[in-house]
């Protein structure tokens, strides 16, 4: 997997090493189906998710500003996406900060500038997806910043740190997030989420976002790459 210079820089490292032939605990290769690859093809990518997907990084350095774009919402649920402060423990609901709402459709772009967010505590951050699975009807998860999701509207939570997922079963727990480096956009990568409890159909295009436009804090100054 190609690593961009900005990813290698100590202050802007966002991407880890790739993992080949990722599998769920039951041995199912992921991602299943060709839906994810079709969406990536539509973005001008030549990525094969079966060999290019990784499950790292799990936490992120907010010194860099990120622009997220919704590429696909392939699932039937109206999922939300957001961030939390990494503390070494499962995040409290009050520290789940919604960033992409369930109504942010394909093409939506949001700039995430964590260091200027009043809830940021310093240190690294993680990301989460909130689903509506099991709710009837499956409406949006209701969020209040500083309070978190309303449990009466929340299905399940899945995190970039998989040990905190609602279907976590230890070291061999189900994978809900894969990360892929872009070949068509500079300093960019993709988050592909699977939103069904226990792996579901393992297509990982239930919420697909591209992260790009990485710049270091400091008024657009170039990252130090060494």
């Amino acid at each position: 997997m190609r690593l961009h210079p900005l990813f290698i820089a100590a202050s802007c490292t966002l991407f880890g090493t790739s993992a080949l032939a990722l599998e769920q605990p039951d041995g199912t290769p992921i991602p299943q189906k060709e839906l994810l690859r079709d969406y990536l093809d539509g973005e001008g990518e030549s990525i094969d998710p079966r060999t290019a997907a990784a499950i790292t990084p799990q936490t992120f350095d907010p010194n860099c500003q990120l622009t997220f774009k919704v590429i696909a919402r392939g699932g039937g649920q109206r999922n939300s996406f957001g961030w939390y402060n990494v503390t070494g423990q499962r995040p409290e609901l009050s520290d789940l900060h919604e960033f992409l709402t369930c109504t942010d459709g394909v093409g939506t772009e949001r700039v995430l500038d964590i260091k200027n967010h009043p809830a940021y505590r310093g240190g690294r951050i993680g990301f989460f997806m909130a689903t509506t699975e099991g709710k009837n009807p499956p409406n949006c998860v209701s969020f209040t910043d500083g309070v978190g999701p309303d449990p009466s509207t929340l299905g399940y939570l899945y995190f970039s740190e998989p040990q905190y997922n609602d279907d976590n079963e230890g070291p061999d727990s189900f994978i809900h997030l894969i990360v892929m480096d872009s070949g068509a956009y500079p300093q960019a990568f993709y988050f592909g989420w699977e939103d069904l409890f226990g792996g579901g159909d393992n297509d990982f295009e239930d919420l697909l976002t591209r992260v790009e436009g990485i710049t270091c804090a400091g008024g657009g100054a170039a990252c130090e790459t060494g």
Side-chain angles (χ1 to χ4, degrees), residues 172-195:
D172 294 326
S173 289
F174 292 99
I175 297 170
H176 282 275
L177 173 63
I178 57 176
V179 188
M180 298 156 287
D181 191 17
S182 171
Y185 295 83
Q187 292 85 55
F189 59 97
Y190 294 88
F191 280 168
W193 292 89
E194 169 56 50
D195 67 359

Side-chain angles (χ1 to χ4, degrees), residues 8 15 27 30 34 38 46 58 83 166 198 204 210 220:
I8 298 171
F15 203 83
I30 57 174
E34 292 296 320
D38 289 345
S46 58
Q58 296 181 0
W83 68 275
D166 280 347
F204 287 86
R210 183 172 63 241

Side-chain angles (χ1 to χ4, degrees), residues 1 3 13-19 22 52-60 124 160-162 175 177-181 189-191:
M1 177 177 292
L3 291 180
T13 299
L14 294 176
F15 203 83
T17 55
S18 63
L22 292 174
I55 57 174
T56 56
Q58 296 181 0
T59 63
F60 302 82
R124 299 178 71 80
S160 57
E161 296 179 277
I175 297 170
L177 173 63
I178 57 176
V179 188
M180 298 156 287
D181 191 17
F189 59 97
Y190 294 88
F191 280 168

Side-chain angles (χ1 to χ4, degrees), residues 9 14 18 28 31 33 50-51 59 87 112 115 121 142 144 157 163-164 166 192 202 208 213:
L14 294 176
S18 63
T28 301
K33 307 179 183 179
R50 291 282 180 86
T51 58
T59 63
T87 64
L112 185 59
K115 297 200 78 171
R121 303 175 190 169
S142 177
T144 302
L157 288 167
Q163 66 268 33
Y164 303 133
D166 280 347
N202 291 305
L208 177 65

Side-chain angles (χ1 to χ4, degrees), residues 95-157:
D95 192 34
L96 299 181
H97 307 284
E98 187 181 38
F99 178 60
L100 291 170
T101 73
C102 72
T103 59
D104 287 333
V106 173
T108 298
E109 292 190 16
R110 294 280 187 273
V111 176
L112 185 59
D113 188 4
I114 293 293
K115 297 200 78 171
N116 289 320
H117 195 289
Y120 176 57
R121 303 175 190 169
R124 299 178 71 80
I125 64 168
F127 295 104
F128 71 90
M129 179 178 64
T131 79
T132 58
E133 184 175 0
K135 299 302 176 182
N136 188 21
N139 295 319
C140 291
V141 179
S142 177
F143 270 85
T144 302
D145 206 32
V147 177
D150 178 351
S152 69
T153 66
L154 176 64
Y156 296 104
L157 288 167

Side-chain angles (χ1 to χ4, degrees), residues 7-106:
F7 293 160
I8 298 171
S11 61
C12 294
T13 299
L14 294 176
F15 203 83
T17 55
S18 63
L20 301 181
L22 292 174
E23 295 182 347
Q24 293 287 27
D26 60 4
T28 301
I30 57 174
Q32 289 284 300
K33 307 179 183 179
E34 292 296 320
L35 294 172
L36 178 57
R37 187 167 187 172
D38 289 345
Y39 284 122
L40 295 171
D41 287 348
E43 295 299 307
E45 302 284 0
S46 58
I47 301 171
D48 182 355
R50 291 282 180 86
T51 58
I55 57 174
T56 56
Q58 296 181 0
T59 63
F60 302 82
D61 184 347
N63 284 333
C64 293
Q65 180 173 286
L66 305 178
T67 298
F68 284 80
K69 181 176 181 178
V70 179
I71 304 301
R73 282 187 175 273
Q77 300 187 64
R78 303 178 69 186
N79 301 309
S80 298
F81 172 85
W83 68 275
Y84 61 92
N85 292 284
V86 170
T87 64
Q89 298 179 334
R90 180 183 165 104
E92 299 289 340
L93 292 184
S94 60
D95 192 34
L96 299 181
H97 307 284
E98 187 181 38
F99 178 60
L100 291 170
T101 73
C102 72
T103 59
D104 287 333
V106 173

